[in-house]
Amino acid sequence: MTHPAYQIEGAGRAGRWLLSCDHATNHVPDWVNGGDLGLPAADMGRHIAYDIGAAGVTRHLAALLDSPAILSRFSRLVIDPNRGEDDPTLLMRLYDGTIIPANRHAGPQDLSERLDRLYRPYHDAYADLAAKMQAPVICAIHSFTPRLRSRAPRPWEVGVLFAHDERLAKPFITACRAQGWCTGENEPYAGHLPGDAIDRHALQHGRPNVLIELRQDLIADEAGQMAWADRLAPILQDVLKDSQL
């Protein structure tokens, strides 16, 4: 199923997992400043515009888990679906040292249109997909840049983010470290933002969940994406089985 705001793959699959990719693409719809945020192509290809490699991992992993996946179809710089509607970073004007020209003077009407045409349809579809599943388990796939500007290199290969629900996250971290991977616990980001996608679709419903961050240089091409999906799938299945959730 394809909509301007999202794509759903494998809606009829039998698995319990529901994979999500909130920052799947760097696409800017043509009704947003003519499809151009005023950034050069090099910046639109950076981590500020989308989660590099995350969409490929999501698709491969969902297929391996025989489970559905929902992926966004708009850049996080247009509006960020992994933020609450009242979050001040919902519409970014400056990101990792880069000014976003088309957002600099965006007003309430611009924000309202982006909410109505992109953000809310994405979340409505996500909620509907979860509601149609029996006891869904949410797995959000993100990626992170190896290094922010003027910051130290990030050593982690995998980051696992979580809030108060540790049922899957903690054993998943243990399993990743057992593979010898440098695994961050609520690194490189804090594990909870009120109103973010995990809060909205997992925590508020008591659904088991795990948010996985992969370093972008490891999944920049399809070979890396497939390799990491192959590595993660059996670990996720084992952790879910052992948790007896």
Side-chain angles (χ1 to χ4, degrees):
M1 179 188 300
T2 300
H3 179 280
Y6 61 85
Q7 180 176 6
I8 293 174
E9 297 193 1
R13 290 172 180 161
R16 282 186 64 192
W17 294 93
L18 171 50
L19 283 289
S20 68
C21 188
D22 299 325
H23 303 141
T25 178
N26 60 0
H27 177 66
V28 180
D30 58 10
W31 51 267
V32 177
N33 203 51
D36 185 350
L37 294 177
L39 292 172
D43 277 332
M44 289 303 297
R46 294 175 58 220
H47 71 99
I48 62 172
Y50 72 122
D51 280 358
I52 296 164
V57 174
T58 301
R59 291 188 175 98
H60 291 305
L61 188 55
L64 291 169
L65 296 172
D66 191 29
S67 293
I70 182 167
L71 302 93
S72 70
R73 298 190 67 210
F74 53 94
S75 172
R76 68 194 302 168
L77 294 180
V78 175
I79 191 166
D80 193 335
N82 195 35
R83 298 291 186 272
E85 289 198 18
D86 59 350
D87 192 303
T89 63
L90 183 66
L91 197 159
M92 293 291 283
R93 291 170 170 80
L94 176 70
Y95 195 166
D96 194 20
T98 298
I99 294 172
I100 318 304
N103 291 348
R104 191 172 185 179
H105 301 295
Q109 184 174 346
D110 299 293
L111 176 59
S112 180
E113 185 174 21
R114 297 181 198 188
L115 283 167
D116 287 342
R117 296 181 69 168
L118 299 172
Y119 180 100
R120 289 173 182 146
Y122 173 77
H123 283 293
D124 288 347
Y126 196 152
D128 182 65
L129 187 57
K132 290 176 178 176
M133 297 175 65
Q134 288 192 347
V137 180
I138 306 296
C139 178
I141 301 297
H142 291 258
S143 69
F144 63 94
T145 182
R147 185 173 192 166
L148 291 169
R149 287 179 173 174
S150 304
R151 301 287 183 90
R154 290 163 157 175
W156 311 285
E157 295 165 278
V158 182
V160 183
L161 312 188
F162 58 93
H164 56 271
D165 184 352
E166 304 176 355
R167 291 175 292 173
L168 289 181
K170 287 285 188 142
F172 182 72
I173 290 168
T174 299
C176 287
R177 288 175 175 167
Q179 297 294 315
W181 305 333
C182 183
T183 305
E185 180 173 328
N186 278 332
E187 296 285 0
Y189 308 109
H192 180 52
L193 288 171
D196 69 6
I198 286 289
D199 185 25
R200 185 168 184 161
H201 299 290
L203 299 179
Q204 293 181 22
H205 302 272
R207 293 171 179 145
N209 63 91
V210 61
L211 189 157
I212 301 171
E213 293 267 5
L214 295 168
R215 205 175 66 214
Q216 288 169 358
D217 59 312
L218 303 176
I219 55 170
D221 58 24
E222 187 174 10
Q225 295 156 21
M226 293 182 68
W228 276 95
D230 287 341
R231 293 165 185 156
L232 294 173
I235 296 175
L236 286 168
Q237 293 286 54
D238 287 346
V239 166
L240 180 58
K241 181 180 177 181
D242 292 343
S243 70
Q244 300 183 338
L245 293 170

